[in-house]
Amino acid sequence: MAKVCQLTGRKTQVGNNVSHANNKTKRKFFPNLHTKKFFLESEGVWVQLKVSAKAIRTINKKGLEASLVDAARKGTLSL
């Protein structure tokens, strides 16, 4: 499975390793992803999502259902 957050859409970015001699080689910056189970109260079921640490903080603040609605509206939701 791809390294993409299902809620925010964060994915791998590409950049450079820069040495002390200013040599540049390509590298990847991976998002901080975690597979986590959340309880969806409206349907009474557990949902397993692959989300970034920032998405977990957003879910804790706003709630799962509000976060899902926002992600669907923005077009970043992938289930």
Side-chain angles (χ1 to χ4, degrees), residues 4-16:
V4 178
C5 177
Q6 291 181 312
L7 215 56
T8 61
R10 288 177 176 261
K11 55 188 173 185
T12 304
Q13 294 180 327
V14 179
N16 289 314

Side-chain angles (χ1 to χ4, degrees), residues 41-58:
E41 292 182 17
S42 63
E43 299 186 20
V45 294
W46 287 91
V47 179
Q48 186 171 352
L49 296 173
K50 191 173 185 180
V51 292
S52 63
K54 183 176 180 180
I56 293 172
R57 289 169 53 96
T58 303

Side-chain angles (χ1 to χ4, degrees), residues 7-78:
L7 215 56
T8 61
R10 288 177 176 261
K11 55 188 173 185
T12 304
Q13 294 180 327
V14 179
N16 289 314
N17 272 333
V18 181
S19 70
H20 184 68
N22 206 25
N23 298 328
K24 296 173 183 72
T25 57
K26 286 294 187 181
R27 64 158 294 183
K28 292 182 179 179
F29 294 93
F30 296 107
N32 188 8
L33 293 180
H34 301 277
T35 302
K36 186 155 172 56
K37 283 179 154 182
F38 298 99
F39 187 70
L40 190 58
E41 292 182 17
S42 63
E43 299 186 20
V45 294
W46 287 91
V47 179
Q48 186 171 352
L49 296 173
K50 191 173 185 180
V51 292
S52 63
K54 183 176 180 180
I56 293 172
R57 289 169 53 96
T58 303
I59 291 170
N60 286 339
K61 182 178 180 180
K62 294 170 40 172
L64 179 61
E65 294 182 31
S67 298
L68 290 172
V69 169
D70 287 347
R73 189 178 34 133
K74 290 179 184 175
T76 59
L77 183 65
S78 63

